[in-house]
Amino acid sequence: MPWFTRLFFVLCRLLSAPFLVGVKPKLLQFDEALHDELQGKPVCYVLRLHSWTDRFLLERIFKAHNLPLLRASPGKLPDAERAACLYLPVLAGQRGGSRGQQTMAGLIKQAAQGDYPLQIVPVSIFWGRNPGSETSFFKLLLGDGERAGALRKLLIIIAQRRNVLVHIAQPLTFDKFVERKQDPAAAAAMLARLMSFYFSRRATATLGPHLLSRQRIVDVVLRRQSVRDAIASALESPDENAAAVNKKARKMAEEIAANYDDRMIRALELILSWVFRKIFAGLNIYHIDRLRETANSRQLIYMPSHRSHFDYLLISYTLYVQGLVAPHIAAGVNLNFWPVGGLLRRGGAFYIRRSFGGQPLYSAIFKSYLDVILSRGYPMEFFPEGGRSRTGRLLPPKKGVLKMTVESFLQQPGRSVAMVPIYVCYDKLVESASYVKELRGASKQSESAGGLLKARKIFKSSYGSPHVAFGDPLSLDECFSHIEPNWRKLAQAGDRSFVPAVIDYIAQENMERINAAAVVNPIGLVSMILLSSPQRAMAEDELLLQIDHFIALLKRLPYSPDVTLPEGSAAEIFEQAARTAGLSRIEHPWGPIITATGKEAVMLTYYRNSVMHVLALPSLIARFFRHSQTVNEAELIEACVLLYPFVKQELFLRVRLEDCAADVKAQIDNFIALNLLSRNAQDGSLSRADVGTETYAVLTGLGRILRETFERYTVTSLLLVQEISDTPAPRMDIEQHTIEMAQRLAILSGREAPEYFDKNLFRVYMDTLIQQGLLLVEERDEQQLLRVDKRLEALSKRWVALLGPDVQQSMQQLIRKQAINSGAEAA
């Protein structure tokens, strides 16, 4: 290195050092094993742009993490002791002069000899999170400029010193590119193209695509042909005039459109960090690395579960602090109240009315807006359940926004899009008090500024930890191919008959993948066990025993690879749950008794429902041993296969129907390995332990997890067989009678689970009966009439056999009483 170059280099380092001292970079997706992977090999770090400050910052990071240091002189090849830094323009031959070309020639020559295992490590540095919508002088001055001059770079360092993201990618071996190309120069060119694409995708994943202003998006929406056609249709009414309709259309578009502002996102991050520290013990995030990998190659559409108003805040916050773009969020128009509405809008929220019925102009504008933001590549988030679950279960998905998303994709089918399921749960729900009131019959309170002021009382309590788990992403084009392999040709020909099936498949698959990413937190696990006791009370030692066995079941045969289980001993898990659940410990000479009463017991059903699916199939198997010492294994598998579709549909279980028999067999083997069952090879029977033993108590508790679900199935099946065995009956009447009977049974049996008579769950069960051909539907006078297939009576007997004699007796009495009353009314 010439003396004047060395002098310039030293001066730059000295001048930049005082400003870089205060820089706090955040490493994204950093693998600590990278040091071992690079040890003893020549390393060349590749940066997207030439920057002395970026290089000096990297030197500090490399030293802190024991990575190869930048010691190779300019124009010299790196070796095992001295790493080099190469800039993308030099790699692509766009700049660097003869020295740059000599460096590339040396790399190519060395790689061609096959004895130079050069490791190419792309490094991305982002000063700030500005995606490039800048029009104001201030934002241009302080944004992450690609070719910032010395003064501007200094201002950027000062302004963004605590908002610097660094991503060190996994290394690429250069000689592999030489192997794929006969000409080493062609290999270098291919590497340059790969690096260019990589840096572009990395920037999009971290910063997002370039933003259009809100006003420009509104103008684009209103100019689209579908909106112009809707306006023209509205003008056909004699009561409308062009000025009024156009004004109405613009008002609708402005009601919908987000006003995404990266400065507001940054401000919200600071505010939410403070809020979350006050009310939560910490935020737990799962599977974020897989999501980052997907973000590098695909536009993301997030489809989370919805249990709290905190969901969208937590998800956007999590994505932002993890170095990903906060999405545009479809929010209910009920949240568009002062002052929250404007803040959320600047944070990426766009607003949607609950119903589009009878509003063709609004429908056209909303669809057009959705198409504009998706075609621009913005990440988006919407809640497929529509509203928050008040029971902890996933609600049946609503498909309106999903349908629009799929239709938008078909307009540009070359885009790479992935749907991302997200499982969100809480150790203690912030809205628990209001949920208990609503589940007991109180009307839902509308969101308002007054309600927001009342919410300040949440700072007086601790809510444990929220959990955000990103499920296995679902490739949109692969979904199309799964339903129709020739979908591209059909779409080009104008045939979209396959689209409804694709929408149904995505809706179901997304919900199943949400549950596949479940986090079994301590309160969920303890709730499952404690509520399995008839009086919601259990000896502490028995409760701890069941915690150990339930975790052992899930560890030996996990529900899915993405499920997260609580850590620690059974006693530690119980103590974590007790701190947030309001459990009571009653001291007794024979040992403490744990119990839950009142509203705490109601909320336990919520936490149980959010995780009960992970033990649904084991619970179904265990239920057969509730009243039988021995069961034939083949008959058990056959019965489980028969009943499984109903449980799968309600709880969105991941095991496919065709794989059910094999999974039941695996579960039985798991029971045997844990001594919960024993197998008699001679007669093919399975036996449980004797009453009074510990393993019997565990098996019984396991079988009670789905007890209330089986009771709902039973009462519905019996009522259907009784009421419409001869003549068809209106579906609405049958649903109402079933709910009323379930309400009465809940009172008589002391059930505290509000979902026991949830109309949505009864509808899901009836829909599954229709899918299985056990209920037949007739359309008459614009209403659905139901007719029973004879096989339903046999199914109802299967359900009855799973229940205890007391519940069977109560149900039979209610059914007979209903039949007598119906006969009297008919007479």
Side-chain angles (χ1 to χ4, degrees):
M1 179 187 297
W3 68 269
F4 51 85
T5 304
R6 188 184 300 275
L7 178 61
F8 179 74
F9 184 84
V10 172
L11 287 174
C12 288
R13 183 189 296 276
L14 291 174
L15 290 173
S16 62
F19 301 101
L20 292 177
V21 168
V23 174
K24 305 294 183 183
K26 179 178 181 179
L27 287 182
L28 301 177
Q29 203 173 353
F30 180 71
D31 187 354
E32 294 290 349
L34 186 61
H35 166 263
D36 296 333
E37 194 169 349
L38 299 179
Q39 190 69 29
K41 298 176 183 177
V43 176
C44 182
Y45 300 102
V46 181
L47 276 67
R48 187 167 60 97
L49 298 169
H50 186 280
S51 169
W52 288 112
T53 51
D54 288 0
R55 178 183 174 122
F56 299 148
L57 181 63
L58 286 179
E59 288 180 351
R60 195 175 83 189
I61 294 172
F62 296 157
K63 186 175 182 180
H65 292 275
N66 201 22
L67 295 176
L69 301 179
L70 296 170
R71 293 291 183 261
S73 301
K76 299 294 184 180
L77 298 177
D79 55 35
E81 302 296 330
R82 293 177 289 273
C85 184
L86 191 63
Y87 304 101
L88 181 60
V90 176
L91 179 62
Q94 298 171 2
R95 60 175 294 179
S98 59
R99 180 170 297 165
Q101 298 301 320
Q102 290 171 8
T103 301
M104 286 308 305
L107 292 176
I108 294 168
K109 183 178 179 180
Q110 289 274 20
Q113 294 174 359
D115 59 353
Y116 189 61
L118 176 67
Q119 303 298 299
I120 304 291
V121 182
V123 180
S124 302
I125 302 179
F126 303 100
W127 295 83
R129 305 290 292 276
N130 180 6
S133 63
E134 283 54 52
T135 53
S136 72
F137 173 77
F138 182 76
K139 295 180 76 177
L140 282 170
L141 191 65
L142 296 185
D144 183 18
E146 292 189 355
R147 292 177 176 81
L151 176 59
R152 186 179 170 198
K153 188 71 174 185
L154 175 61
L155 293 174
I156 290 172
I157 292 173
I158 295 172
Q160 306 290 354
R161 64 189 181 279
R162 295 186 180 274
N163 194 22
V164 181
L165 304 180
V166 179
H167 184 273
I168 304 175
Q170 290 298 305
L172 304 170
T173 303
F174 185 62
D175 58 11
K176 291 183 178 179
F177 290 91
V178 177
E179 292 174 2
R180 294 169 59 184
K181 291 286 185 179
Q182 295 297 326
D183 180 12
M190 183 175 69
L191 178 60
R193 290 194 298 272
L194 177 65
M195 290 292 99
S196 179
F197 177 77
Y198 167 80
F199 283 124
S200 175
R201 287 303 310 170
R202 185 71 251 172
T204 300
T206 304
L207 306 180
H210 289 272
L211 291 172
L212 294 178
S213 68
R214 180 170 183 262
Q215 192 57 52
R216 187 175 174 188
I217 288 179
V218 168
D219 292 340
V220 171
V221 167
L222 295 177
R223 286 199 301 266
R224 292 179 72 88
Q225 188 61 47
S226 59
V227 175
R228 291 166 60 188
D229 291 344
I231 291 174
S233 296
L235 288 173
E236 294 176 0
S237 171
D239 299 329
E240 299 287 359
N241 62 75
V245 171
N246 280 292
K247 183 178 180 180
K248 182 179 179 181
R250 180 167 290 276
K251 185 176 180 180
M252 287 178 176
E254 291 177 344
E255 173 192 302
I256 295 167
N259 189 23
Y260 195 101
D261 188 333
D262 64 287
R263 294 171 299 180
M264 177 56 69
I265 299 291
R266 174 60 176 161
L268 287 174
E269 183 220 350
L270 298 174
I271 294 171
L272 291 177
S273 294
W274 179 82
V275 172
F276 293 162
R277 284 197 303 271
K278 290 290 184 180
I279 65 175
F280 295 134
L283 172 59
N284 297 317
I285 304 167
Y286 310 89
H287 317 305
I288 188 68
D289 288 346
R290 178 176 59 195
L291 180 65
R292 286 201 189 97
E293 291 297 326
T294 305
N296 286 341
S297 58
R298 293 183 179 273
Q299 178 185 1
L300 301 181
I301 298 175
Y302 301 97
M303 297 173 63
S305 62
H306 199 12
R307 295 188 168 99
S308 167
H309 278 315
F310 274 87
D311 293 346
Y312 32 80
L313 299 176
L314 279 168
I315 293 169
S316 291
Y317 175 84
T318 297
L319 293 171
Y320 188 82
V321 299
Q322 292 296 323
L324 294 169
V325 185
H328 282 59
I329 308 168
V333 74
N334 56 302
L335 293 177
N336 191 17
F337 63 90
W338 185 89
V340 171
L343 293 174
L344 294 180
R345 194 186 295 276
R346 293 181 67 191
F350 60 94
Y351 293 102
I352 178 173
R353 296 177 182 176
R354 291 298 183 188
S355 173
F356 294 3
Q359 304 177 75
L361 180 57
Y362 180 85
S363 178
I365 290 172
F366 185 84
K367 290 178 181 177
S368 178
Y369 176 78
L370 203 65
D371 188 49
V372 168
I373 64 172
L374 289 173
S375 63
R376 292 285 301 176
Y378 299 155
M380 190 183 78
E381 174 189 328
F382 67 91
F383 295 94
E385 296 169 276
R388 291 170 292 159
S389 170
R390 265 61 173 187
T391 65
R393 298 169 180 263
L394 292 183
L395 303 175
K398 293 178 169 56
K399 302 170 186 175
V401 178
L402 176 60
K403 180 175 181 289
M404 297 179 206
T405 303
V406 169
E407 291 173 346
S408 174
F409 172 78
L410 281 174
Q411 295 181 23
Q412 294 178 307
R415 286 182 293 155
S416 295
V417 179
M419 326 295 281
V420 182
I422 308 176
Y423 179 92
V424 184
C425 72
Y426 301 83
D427 288 346
K428 183 178 180 180
L429 201 67
V430 174
E431 296 100 326
S432 60
S434 62
Y435 278 11
V436 170
K437 293 178 183 177
E438 291 174 29
L439 290 169
R440 288 178 168 172
S443 59
K444 175 183 176 296
Q445 296 297 311
S446 299
E447 289 77 9
S448 64
L452 186 65
L453 290 174
K454 294 179 182 178
R456 67 183 184 275
K457 64 183 180 183
I458 68 174
F459 292 104
K460 299 178 181 179
S461 302
S462 176
Y463 294 89
S465 296
H467 306 265
V468 180
F470 297 97
D472 188 15
L474 190 61
S475 169
L476 195 49
D477 53 348
E478 290 178 6
C479 292
F480 277 91
S481 297
H482 176 81
I483 298 298
E484 175 52 69
N486 297 318
W487 67 274
R488 293 184 185 274
K489 291 183 180 179
L490 293 175
Q492 289 177 355
D495 181 0
R496 299 193 174 184
S497 58
F498 56 88
V499 171
V502 173
I503 294 170
D504 291 342
Y505 172 74
I506 295 173
Q508 182 71 20
E509 186 71 15
N510 180 75
M511 304 308 280
E512 291 181 12
R513 294 194 184 197
I514 287 175
N515 269 347
V519 178
V520 184
N521 55 348
I523 182 60
L525 180 61
V526 171
S527 297
M528 272 197 293
I529 296 170
L530 193 58
L531 292 177
S532 70
S533 176
Q535 302 302 321
R536 301 178 303 279
M538 184 178 289
E540 184 174 347
D541 57 350
E542 182 182 346
L543 191 151
L544 297 180
L545 176 71
Q546 294 206 26
I547 289 175
D548 280 331
H549 276 80
F550 282 20
I551 289 180
L553 275 168
L554 291 169
K555 282 185 176 179
R556 290 195 81 261
L557 186 59
Y559 175 80
S560 81
D562 287 342
V563 160
T564 304
L565 301 179
E567 297 179 352
S569 67
E572 290 170 338
I573 290 171
F574 167 70
E575 289 300 329
Q576 290 180 54
R579 282 197 297 269
T580 55
L583 302 180
S584 301
R585 177 188 268 108
I586 301 174
E587 297 299 333
H588 189 274
W590 294 358
I593 297 173
I594 308 302
T595 184
T597 57
K599 65 179 182 180
E600 286 79 14
V602 175
M603 283 312 298
L604 285 187
T605 67
Y606 188 100
Y607 302 125
R608 175 200 63 187
N609 291 346
S610 65
V611 296
M612 65 189 296
H613 63 278
V614 302
L615 286 170
L617 194 51
S619 180
L620 175 59
I621 295 169
R623 193 72 192 177
F624 284 89
F625 295 89
R626 181 74 175 86
H627 308 291
S628 300
Q629 175 81 27
T630 302
V631 179
N632 181 272
E633 184 171 357
E635 293 176 358
L636 173 61
I637 294 174
E638 179 186 357
C640 288
V641 170
L642 176 66
L643 303 179
Y644 176 73
F646 304 96
V647 184
K648 173 180 173 61
Q649 192 68 22
E650 178 175 321
L651 298 179
F652 300 102
L653 304 183
R654 69 171 189 85
V655 176
R656 297 179 300 176
L657 297 179
E658 56 268 31
D659 298 331
C660 179
D663 206 62
V664 171
K665 179 67 166 57
Q667 294 288 352
I668 291 172
D669 291 340
N670 198 22
F671 277 45
I672 293 171
L674 293 172
N675 297 318
L676 296 177
L677 293 177
S678 60
R679 178 183 282 127
N680 188 330
Q682 294 180 348
D683 61 2
S685 65
L686 298 168
S687 300
R688 60 163 168 79
D690 293 332
V691 175
T693 61
E694 289 184 346
T695 51
Y696 173 80
V698 172
L699 195 68
T700 301
L702 192 62
R704 284 174 176 160
I705 292 175
L706 292 184
R707 176 186 56 188
E708 290 154 0
T709 298
F710 297 146
E711 289 176 2
R712 276 189 289 101
Y713 294 166
T714 304
V715 71
T716 305
S717 301
L718 290 173
L719 190 64
L720 286 168
V721 171
Q722 178 67 44
E723 289 211 349
I724 59 176
S725 56
D726 299 322
T727 57
R731 176 168 179 167
M732 291 182 62
D733 293 347
I734 292 296
E735 288 180 354
Q736 185 59 35
H737 289 170
T738 307
I739 293 169
E740 289 171 357
M741 184 175 293
Q743 289 173 333
R744 187 173 183 84
L745 185 62
I747 295 171
L748 292 173
S749 59
R751 295 288 183 265
E752 286 282 2
E755 81 277 4
Y756 194 76
F757 39 84
D758 183 351
K759 61 183 178 182
N760 289 319
L761 298 179
F762 286 100
R763 287 172 184 167
V764 169
Y765 180 64
M766 288 190 181
D767 287 341
T768 310
L769 288 173
I770 293 170
Q771 293 172 10
Q772 296 291 315
L774 299 174
L775 272 183
L776 307 176
V777 180
E778 296 179 9
E779 298 288 343
R780 188 186 303 172
D781 299 329
E782 298 184 353
Q783 67 175 338
Q784 280 191 344
L785 299 181
L786 299 180
R787 200 158 44 83
V788 169
D789 184 273
K790 293 181 179 180
R791 294 172 297 155
L792 182 57
E793 185 173 359
L795 177 68
S796 66
K797 293 179 180 178
R798 292 273 195 178
W799 291 127
V800 168
L802 294 179
L803 304 181
D806 54 337
V807 179
Q808 291 182 28
Q809 179 66 21
S810 299
M811 286 187 178
Q812 295 290 357
Q813 286 180 341
L814 286 173
I815 295 291
R816 283 197 295 271
K817 185 174 182 179
Q818 175 67 22
I820 292 171
N821 292 339
S822 298
E825 291 175 3

